[in-house]
């Protein structure tokens, strides 16, 4: 080891140059995205359905390209990942009186979308994969359960075999929230193509981005038509749906400018995911020996080959130790954190105050239409325990070999001293 004294104790940091910020697609925006936006502006066709000339709709091109990339028949582009979840749930027919099982660890949007549809989110524990624990999902199923929201958190696929089999046995729908795992797969199939419907986000933190944006994916014509009607006030009419079948929609459409950027980013997705996977594999391999000696437990990977590679997570025995290790890694210059440090974080159910307190826009909906249920900050203790002991490292696709070597050094330094 070059420098044995930990940087947190005044030693020299192992990483000598800043690591790239964790905006995988965002950091790769280049002349191609600039040109795509310019082309749209010059065409003056900024709206998906029409413009002054006969240039093609970038949003429509994006939908076709994304469906082909995923291996599904249909895709609807929308204004955000939350809109994609809402459109997906509307596509499934989820509504008042229904329950949807959501993981206790996900961005609050997953639960908010359920509430927005008038249904009640039911929280289930995550396991060492940091995705839904199928055994807890099964315990949470009631006669009102309509769907399971499988969230592929931090790039990692859910235990899809178990969740799909549960859904089948109990006649439930499965929506895949793939906001954080675009480009990942399970059993060789792209995430977002295994359940009844997939929901993606193109917000700026995501693997590919147009700043804001979302995508709904499905093989099912009925779900697709319902999503088309939901995402556009006259989506039914615009898409040739017979008048007597048209349902009232809202406007969650994507703009052509966003479509143009997303289309270029889609072309970069495989490369970005490939680079993150490579970087993650190198860093993990550099920890092999140490991990064995120290008994380090990495996050479970239901399909290691399908992981999108955006992070490396390991659990340490106690929350306090996790905080200290993350602080020491940070001092060495590594992009480390504890997943739940106790500071308010809307990825963790106990900080979802509007949901836990069942605050309603009007009339107590959706909970007033449902037999009383209770949420509490400690209702998913296993999730809290895991997240508080989980040390998380960002894996940018743009890490250089020098970064990776220095990060491995920093890791070895800190873990040898503190574990
Ligand atoms: C797991 C998850 N679901 C849903 C969303 C919502 O996406 P958006 O911010 O685009 O609405 C996000 C990201 O923000 C997310 O991380």
């Amino acid at each position: 080891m070059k420098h044995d004294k930990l940087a947190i104790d005044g030693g020299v940091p192992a990483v000598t140059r800043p690591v790239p910020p964790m905006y995988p697609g965002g950091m790769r925006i280049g002349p191609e995205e600039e040109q795509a936006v310019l082309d749209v502006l010059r065409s003056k066709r900024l709206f998906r359905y029409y413009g002054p000339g006969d240039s093609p709709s970038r949003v429509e091109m994006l939908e076709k390209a994304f469906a082909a990339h995923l291996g599904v028949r249909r895709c609807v582009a929308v204004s955000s990942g939350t809109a994609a979840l809402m459109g997906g749930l509307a596509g499934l027919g989820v509504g008042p009186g229904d329950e949807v099982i959501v993981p206790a660890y996900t961005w609050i949007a997953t639960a908010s979308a359920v509430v927005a549809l008038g249904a009640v989110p039911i929280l289930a524990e995550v396991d060492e994969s940091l995705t839904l624990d199928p055994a807890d999902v099964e315990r949470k199923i009631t006669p009102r359960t309509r769907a399971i929201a499988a969230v592929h958190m931090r790039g990692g696929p859910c235990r899809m075999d178990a969740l799909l089999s549960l859904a089948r046995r109990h006649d439930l729908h499965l929506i895949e929230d793939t906001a954080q795992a675009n480009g990942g797969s399970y059993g060789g199939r792209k995430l977002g193509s295994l359940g009844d419907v997939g929901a993606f986000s193109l917000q700026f933190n995501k693997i590919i981005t147009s700043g804001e944006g979302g995508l709904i994916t499905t093989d099912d014509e009925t779900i697709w038509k319902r999503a088309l009607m939901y995402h556009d006030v006259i989506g039914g009419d615009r898409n040739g749906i017979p008048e007597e079948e048209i349902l009232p929609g809202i406007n969650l459409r994507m703009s052509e400018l966003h479509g143009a950027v997303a289309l270029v980013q889609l072309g970069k997705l495989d490369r970005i995911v490939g680079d993150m996977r490579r970087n993650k594999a190198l860093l993990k391999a550099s920890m092999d020996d140490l991990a064995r000696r120290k008994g380090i437990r990495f996050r479970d990977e239901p399909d290691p080959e399908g992981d999108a590679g955006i992070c490396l997570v390991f659990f340490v025995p106690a929350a306090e130790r996790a905080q200290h290790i993350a602080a020491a890694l940070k001092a060495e210059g590594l992009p480390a954190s504890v997943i739940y440090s106790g500071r308010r974080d809307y990825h963790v159910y106990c900080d979802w105050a509007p949901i836990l307190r069942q605050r309603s826009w009007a009339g107590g909906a959706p909970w007033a239409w449902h037999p009383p249920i209770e949420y509490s900050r400690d209702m998913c203790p296993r999730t809290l325990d895991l997240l508080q002991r989980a040390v998380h490292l960002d894996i940018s696709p743009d890490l250089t070999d020098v970064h990776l070597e220095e990060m491995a050094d920093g890791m070895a330094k800190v873990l040898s001293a503190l574990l």
Side-chain angles (χ1 to χ4, degrees), residues 79-83 85 106-107 109-110 151-153 177-180 200-203 206 212-214 347:
S79 52
S80 71
T82 310
L85 285 164
T106 177
W107 184 238
T110 319
V151 187
H152 306 296
M153 275 307 268
D177 181 339
T178 317
Q180 298 196 6
F200 293 79
S201 167
L202 297 166
Q203 182 267 343
K206 304 304 184 292
E212 296 273 20
H347 290 95

Side-chain angles (χ1 to χ4, degrees), residues 3-12 324 328 332 410 413-414 417-418:
H3 318 287
D4 279 324
K5 189 169 176 187
L6 296 183
I8 200 169
D9 297 328
V12 180
H324 190 45
E332 298 296 340
K413 218 173 126 178
V414 168
L418 300 184

Side-chain angles (χ1 to χ4, degrees), residues 59-249:
V59 175
E60 191 182 336
M61 288 163 71
L62 170 69
E63 290 174 342
K64 294 220 160 84
F66 198 71
H69 156 84
L70 218 65
V72 297
R73 291 171 61 187
R74 302 297 191 182
C75 172
V76 182
V78 290
S79 52
S80 71
T82 310
L85 285 164
M86 289 165 63
L89 292 167
L92 294 172
V94 167
D98 293 335
E99 294 176 356
V100 178
I101 298 178
V102 305
Y105 174 45
T106 177
W107 184 238
I108 187 174
T110 319
S112 302
V114 172
V115 172
L117 267 288
V120 168
I122 301 294
L123 310 186
E125 298 265 25
V126 300
D127 62 21
E128 281 80 358
S129 68
L130 302 183
T131 66
L132 274 176
D133 170 7
D136 200 45
V137 172
E138 186 148 33
R139 282 193 284 274
K140 300 287 165 65
I141 294 172
T142 75
R144 293 171 181 269
T145 311
R146 188 74 184 268
I148 301 169
V151 187
H152 306 296
M153 275 307 268
R154 307 301 307 140
C158 295
R159 301 188 191 281
M160 289 306 286
D161 282 345
L163 294 174
L164 285 167
S165 127
L166 259 183
R168 223 172 292 120
R169 271 189 284 128
H170 294 270
D171 197 20
L172 304 175
H173 295 301
L174 193 141
I175 179 166
E176 290 178 80
D177 181 339
T178 317
Q180 298 196 6
N182 199 349
S185 61
Y186 182 88
R189 291 172 65 189
K190 285 270 177 355
L191 300 180
S193 74
L194 293 105
D196 299 293
V197 65
F200 293 79
S201 167
L202 297 166
Q203 182 267 343
F204 192 59
N205 283 112
K206 304 304 184 292
I207 294 175
I208 55 169
T209 185
S210 47
E212 296 273 20
L215 298 158
I216 304 167
T217 53
T218 187
D219 264 330
D220 183 303
E221 293 293 297
T222 303
I223 294 173
W224 173 61
K225 283 185 186 158
R226 291 176 64 98
L228 279 176
M229 290 190 280
Y230 189 77
H231 98 297
D232 180 359
V233 281
I234 57 165
D237 196 78
R238 279 195 175 109
N239 289 284
I241 295 170
E243 215 272 320
E244 60 281 9
E245 291 174 27
I246 291 179
L247 300 168

Side-chain angles (χ1 to χ4, degrees), residues 303-326:
D303 180 350
E305 282 175 22
D307 182 88
I310 63 172
C311 65
L312 181 63
V313 174
F314 57 93
F315 300 104
V316 298
E320 225 167 74
R321 184 98 67 94
Q323 298 271 3
H324 190 45
I325 288 174

